[in-house]
mmCIF file of all heavy atoms in Angstrom:
data_model
loop_
_atom_site.group_PDB
_atom_site.id
_atom_site.type_symbol
_atom_site.label_atom_id
_atom_site.label_comp_id
_atom_site.label_asym_id
_atom_site.label_seq_id
_atom_site.Cartn_x
_atom_site.Cartn_y
_atom_site.Cartn_z
ATOM 1 N N ARG A 110 56.194 5.895 -6.287
ATOM 2 C CA ARG A 110 55.220 4.842 -5.941
ATOM 3 C C ARG A 110 55.845 3.782 -5.038
ATOM 4 O O ARG A 110 55.124 3.043 -4.376
ATOM 5 C CB ARG A 110 54.664 4.149 -7.197
ATOM 6 C CG ARG A 110 53.826 5.021 -8.098
ATOM 7 C CD ARG A 110 52.640 5.619 -7.404
ATOM 8 N NE ARG A 110 51.652 4.630 -6.984
ATOM 9 C CZ ARG A 110 50.642 4.908 -6.160
ATOM 10 N NH1 ARG A 110 50.510 6.114 -5.662
ATOM 11 N NH2 ARG A 110 49.779 3.971 -5.838
ATOM 12 N N SER A 134 48.223 -0.477 -11.589
ATOM 13 C CA SER A 134 47.592 0.686 -10.946
ATOM 14 C C SER A 134 48.625 1.774 -10.684
ATOM 15 O O SER A 134 48.316 2.963 -10.723
ATOM 16 C CB SER A 134 46.835 0.289 -9.681
ATOM 17 O OG SER A 134 47.730 0.056 -8.641
ATOM 18 N N ASN A 135 49.895 1.374 -10.449
ATOM 19 C CA ASN A 135 50.953 2.376 -10.296
ATOM 20 C C ASN A 135 51.121 3.199 -11.572
ATOM 21 O O ASN A 135 51.267 4.416 -11.515
ATOM 22 C CB ASN A 135 52.287 1.699 -9.958
ATOM 23 C CG ASN A 135 52.377 1.315 -8.492
ATOM 24 O OD1 ASN A 135 51.618 1.822 -7.666
ATOM 25 N ND2 ASN A 135 53.278 0.416 -8.171
ATOM 26 N N TRP A 136 51.107 2.519 -12.714
ATOM 27 C CA TRP A 136 51.249 3.257 -13.970
ATOM 28 C C TRP A 136 50.038 4.145 -14.233
ATOM 29 O O TRP A 136 50.163 5.217 -14.835
ATOM 30 C CB TRP A 136 51.517 2.312 -15.150
ATOM 31 C CG TRP A 136 52.946 1.844 -15.165
ATOM 32 C CD1 TRP A 136 53.392 0.570 -14.954
ATOM 33 C CD2 TRP A 136 54.121 2.649 -15.346
ATOM 34 N NE1 TRP A 136 54.770 0.528 -14.996
ATOM 35 C CE2 TRP A 136 55.253 1.788 -15.244
ATOM 36 C CE3 TRP A 136 54.344 4.006 -15.584
ATOM 37 C CZ2 TRP A 136 56.562 2.244 -15.372
ATOM 38 C CZ3 TRP A 136 55.651 4.459 -15.714
ATOM 39 C CH2 TRP A 136 56.742 3.599 -15.605
ATOM 40 N N ASP A 137 48.872 3.732 -13.763
ATOM 41 C CA ASP A 137 47.688 4.603 -13.876
ATOM 42 C C ASP A 137 47.908 5.909 -13.106
ATOM 43 O O ASP A 137 47.562 6.993 -13.575
ATOM 44 C CB ASP A 137 46.432 3.908 -13.315
ATOM 45 C CG ASP A 137 45.938 2.814 -14.240
ATOM 46 O OD1 ASP A 137 46.415 2.769 -15.394
ATOM 47 O OD2 ASP A 137 45.086 2.017 -13.803
ATOM 48 N N VAL A 138 48.477 5.777 -11.908
ATOM 49 C CA VAL A 138 48.745 6.973 -11.096
ATOM 50 C C VAL A 138 49.767 7.865 -11.804
ATOM 51 O O VAL A 138 49.601 9.091 -11.876
ATOM 52 C CB VAL A 138 49.265 6.581 -9.683
ATOM 53 C CG1 VAL A 138 49.704 7.812 -8.904
ATOM 54 C CG2 VAL A 138 48.199 5.816 -8.914
ATOM 55 N N VAL A 139 50.804 7.248 -12.353
ATOM 56 C CA VAL A 139 51.832 8.026 -13.066
ATOM 57 C C VAL A 139 51.191 8.768 -14.245
ATOM 58 O O VAL A 139 51.446 9.964 -14.446
ATOM 59 C CB VAL A 139 52.983 7.102 -13.557
ATOM 60 C CG1 VAL A 139 53.945 7.871 -14.460
ATOM 61 C CG2 VAL A 139 53.727 6.514 -12.359
ATOM 62 N N ALA A 140 50.345 8.078 -14.987
ATOM 63 C CA ALA A 140 49.693 8.705 -16.149
ATOM 64 C C ALA A 140 48.832 9.895 -15.706
ATOM 65 O O ALA A 140 48.846 10.961 -16.351
ATOM 66 C CB ALA A 140 48.837 7.680 -16.881
ATOM 67 N N GLU A 141 48.127 9.719 -14.616
ATOM 68 C CA GLU A 141 47.273 10.809 -14.122
ATOM 69 C C GLU A 141 48.130 12.016 -13.707
ATOM 70 O O GLU A 141 47.781 13.170 -13.983
ATOM 71 C CB GLU A 141 46.436 10.292 -12.939
ATOM 72 C CG GLU A 141 45.306 11.209 -12.510
ATOM 73 C CD GLU A 141 45.706 12.237 -11.455
ATOM 74 O OE1 GLU A 141 46.534 11.917 -10.583
ATOM 75 O OE2 GLU A 141 45.196 13.371 -11.512
ATOM 76 N N LEU A 142 49.276 11.731 -13.088
ATOM 77 C CA LEU A 142 50.141 12.830 -12.635
ATOM 78 C C LEU A 142 50.848 13.508 -13.819
ATOM 79 O O LEU A 142 51.055 14.726 -13.799
ATOM 80 C CB LEU A 142 51.165 12.323 -11.612
ATOM 81 C CG LEU A 142 50.548 12.001 -10.247
ATOM 82 C CD1 LEU A 142 51.528 11.235 -9.368
ATOM 83 C CD2 LEU A 142 50.096 13.283 -9.538
ATOM 84 N N GLU A 176 51.084 9.835 -2.707
ATOM 85 C CA GLU A 176 49.765 10.157 -2.143
ATOM 86 C C GLU A 176 49.872 10.719 -0.726
ATOM 87 O O GLU A 176 49.333 10.168 0.222
ATOM 88 C CB GLU A 176 48.850 8.927 -2.180
ATOM 89 C CG GLU A 176 48.582 8.488 -3.616
ATOM 90 C CD GLU A 176 47.682 7.260 -3.695
ATOM 91 O OE1 GLU A 176 46.637 7.272 -3.016
ATOM 92 O OE2 GLU A 176 48.030 6.328 -4.418
#
Side-chain angles (χ1 to χ4, degrees):
R110 294 302 294 168
S134 76
N135 281 342
W136 283 113
D137 287 347
V138 173
V139 172
E141 192 271 325
L142 287 168
E176 297 180 48

